[in-house]
Amino acid sequence: MTEKNNQYYNELDQKHYLPTFKRYPITLVRGQGSQVWDADGKEYIDALGGIAVNALGHNHPALVEAISKQAGKLIHISNFYLSEPQVELSQKITSLAQIERVFFSNSGAESVEGAIKIARKYAHSIGRGGEVISFEGSFHGRTLATIATGKKQMQHGFEPIPAGFKQVPLNNMDALRKVVSKETAAIIVEPIQGEGGINVVPDSFLKELRSFCDKQDIVLIFDEIQCGIARTGKMFAHEHVGIKPDIMTLAKGLGGGMPVGAILSNEKVSSAIDFGDHGTTFGGNPLATAAALAVLKTIEQEQLTQAAHEKGEWIKEQIMTMKHPDIKEVRGRGLMIGIEFRFETKPLVQKMLENGVLANATAGNVLRLVPPLIISYKELERVIEVMEKSIKEL
């Protein structure tokens, strides 16, 4: 009988799956809290959290119960009808965000696509064009429209790239003003760039951006897919700045591992949408929205927003006091942390994996830590120990 270990699953994966991921050759089979185990029985601390998805960690009883209970009642019905969890989640999330309308999708990229549609529909209603401006270093997804907002290397081989998109340097209002015209419908920005290297956009720039968009009647979109849902020590990252977007996109942590995204839009831009302008088959189904509702309630009940802030400050301080010569900068907010090194970080991530910690390399030389919000201080200490040990071993 064939032993179903890491090697077994890796060989099957390489035989059948589209080769679009450079996977680590381990197969994770179960998790508990901030720990996971692979098919060979090896244990890891999960400091990646499914890329900022598993806000409640693995196998959280509140999330498991909500999914199990809803699965036993009603999984999917289509959006021709109402469901209890969708209505309750709509009320909950608009109340938390203080943004009037919401539409549920299945993913982050879908949320951004929907945000672009809403922004363009509003812009056309007031006589503006449909151009969308994004910023260098941004990442908004991998669909055709979302790669049009991002890095040039992600566009290679997928031409023709959709028209109507421009990009300017981050934190440069002069460059932005030069490309804005009557054709501009929206400006999209991540309050903290995730894939770009955990770059915290200065509060002053976001405030200036809000003021500029108000004067020009341009839709301001905040992509909070990675930095939203308590990740930064606030429920939404823009709360650190004291401003609100016209549209906000969410996903990742919202479902705690269940695929669900959201587009929140204020009444002004939402008023341009007519029946049939947008839709989804699976988005906002009872199972996904029951999970998201459980995530939001648990974050509040367990005070995980404050926990993210306190743990994030603690781990940044611990790393900075190391004063390691290869560490250039430690940045981020809450439990969305980027450690910039003087070398490429992929070998470091590989070495940390071998030593029992899951992390991620982004933007070449940045180590990204986005662990579950429920991670313990003891586990965070272990993450730091493994990082130090792995640096020495390289």
Side-chain angles (χ1 to χ4, degrees):
M1 186 176 177
T2 305
E3 183 183 1
K4 293 186 178 180
N5 55 17
N6 284 333
Q7 183 181 348
Y8 169 82
Y9 289 112
N10 189 46
E11 288 173 359
L12 279 180
D13 177 73
Q14 291 184 351
K15 182 178 179 181
H16 298 291
Y17 201 87
L18 188 70
T20 188
F21 299 116
K22 285 188 177 180
R23 300 190 203 261
Y24 295 100
I26 63 170
T27 300
L28 300 178
V29 295
R30 69 183 180 92
Q32 184 66 49
S34 296
Q35 296 175 297
V36 290
W37 288 263
D38 69 16
D40 291 351
K42 184 175 178 179
E43 178 184 317
Y44 306 84
I45 293 176
D46 185 3
L48 181 59
I51 317 178
V53 168
N54 300 323
L56 304 185
H58 302 276
N59 202 23
H60 192 289
L63 184 56
V64 171
E65 182 184 5
I67 292 171
S68 301
K69 187 177 178 181
Q70 187 60 47
K73 291 169 62 179
L74 196 63
I75 293 176
H76 180 80
I77 56 171
S78 95
N79 281 296
F80 283 125
Y81 316 102
L82 301 174
S83 76
E84 292 174 79
Q86 189 190 96
V87 171
E88 290 176 12
L89 180 61
S90 297
Q91 182 184 35
K92 181 70 173 175
I93 202 163
T94 54
S95 175
L96 284 171
Q98 290 297 292
I99 300 176
E100 291 87 356
R101 300 284 177 177
V102 66
F103 180 94
F104 295 114
S105 64
N106 304 285
S107 67
E110 262 189 70
S111 296
V112 174
E113 290 260 4
I116 291 169
K117 284 181 70 176
I118 296 168
R120 283 181 167 173
K121 188 73 191 294
Y122 172 75
H124 294 328
S125 76
I126 60 169
R128 299 190 72 94
E131 284 184 352
V132 176
I133 299 172
S134 61
F135 295 94
E136 292 176 5
S138 67
F139 178 84
H140 300 290
R142 292 184 183 272
T143 61
L144 278 173
T146 53
I147 64 170
T149 68
K151 298 175 183 177
K152 292 294 181 186
Q153 56 262 44
M154 288 189 178
Q155 300 172 8
H156 180 69
F158 302 109
E159 298 86 357
I161 299 300
F165 296 90
K166 291 181 177 179
Q167 195 170 76
V168 297
L170 185 64
N171 197 25
N172 190 330
M173 285 301 299
D174 290 336
L176 180 66
R177 289 188 183 96
K178 287 176 183 176
V179 300
V180 166
S181 70
K182 285 290 288 182
E183 293 303 307
T184 306
I187 296 169
I188 184 168
V189 63
E190 301 159 89
I192 302 177
Q193 290 184 335
E195 295 294 320
I198 315 297
N199 302 312
V200 181
V201 179
D203 292 357
S204 57
F205 181 70
L206 291 175
K207 287 177 181 178
E208 197 170 356
L209 206 53
R210 176 69 277 176
S211 178
F212 178 75
C213 288
D214 286 340
K215 290 173 184 174
Q216 301 283 338
D217 207 358
I218 293 169
V219 177
L220 181 58
I221 304 170
F222 282 173
D223 179 342
E224 295 219 19
I225 289 161
Q226 190 166 151
C227 62
I229 313 299
R231 173 61 48 190
T232 67
K234 298 281 188 183
M235 184 59 77
F236 307 108
H238 65 263
E239 292 176 27
H240 290 283
V241 193
I243 58 173
K244 283 195 293 187
D246 299 300
I247 301 176
M248 175 170 61
T249 59
L250 298 169
K252 288 193 181 288
L254 178 59
M258 180 66 69
V260 59
I263 311 157
L264 287 111
S265 51
N266 64 25
E267 200 64 59
K268 183 180 80 170
V269 299
S270 301
S271 64
I273 295 296
D274 294 321
F275 293 115
D277 277 347
H278 197 50
T280 175
T281 298
F282 293 106
N285 76 20
L287 190 63
T289 50
L293 196 59
V295 168
L296 295 179
K297 288 179 178 178
T298 303
I299 286 172
E300 289 183 320
Q301 290 165 1
E302 298 188 8
Q303 299 180 317
L304 296 180
T305 306
Q306 182 64 20
H309 168 72
E310 292 171 358
K311 291 171 185 175
E313 291 300 301
W314 180 85
I315 193 170
K316 282 191 291 183
E317 184 180 340
Q318 300 303 306
I319 295 167
M320 286 187 286
T321 54
M322 286 168 54
K323 294 183 179 179
H324 195 285
D326 284 324
I327 295 177
K328 291 176 67 177
E329 186 182 9
V330 183
R331 55 181 180 258
R333 276 177 162 152
L335 285 173
M336 186 174 182
I337 298 162
I339 307 158
E340 185 177 353
F341 285 85
R342 301 185 193 279
F343 54 79
E344 293 281 311
T345 47
K346 282 186 178 178
L348 175 59
V349 169
Q350 176 64 48
K351 186 60 68 175
M352 289 177 69
L353 177 81
E354 293 168 12
N355 289 323
V357 169
L358 307 184
N360 172 250
T362 189
N365 64 336
V366 177
L367 181 72
R368 173 168 48 177
L369 302 176
V370 280
L373 306 182
I374 53 93
I375 193 167
S376 69
Y377 283 98
K378 185 178 179 181
E379 288 165 332
L380 288 173
E381 284 177 353
R382 180 61 183 156
V383 170
I384 295 170
E385 288 169 7
V386 166
M387 184 183 74
E388 285 190 275
K389 179 175 185 283
S390 300
I391 291 170
K392 290 176 183 176
E393 290 177 355
L394 281 175

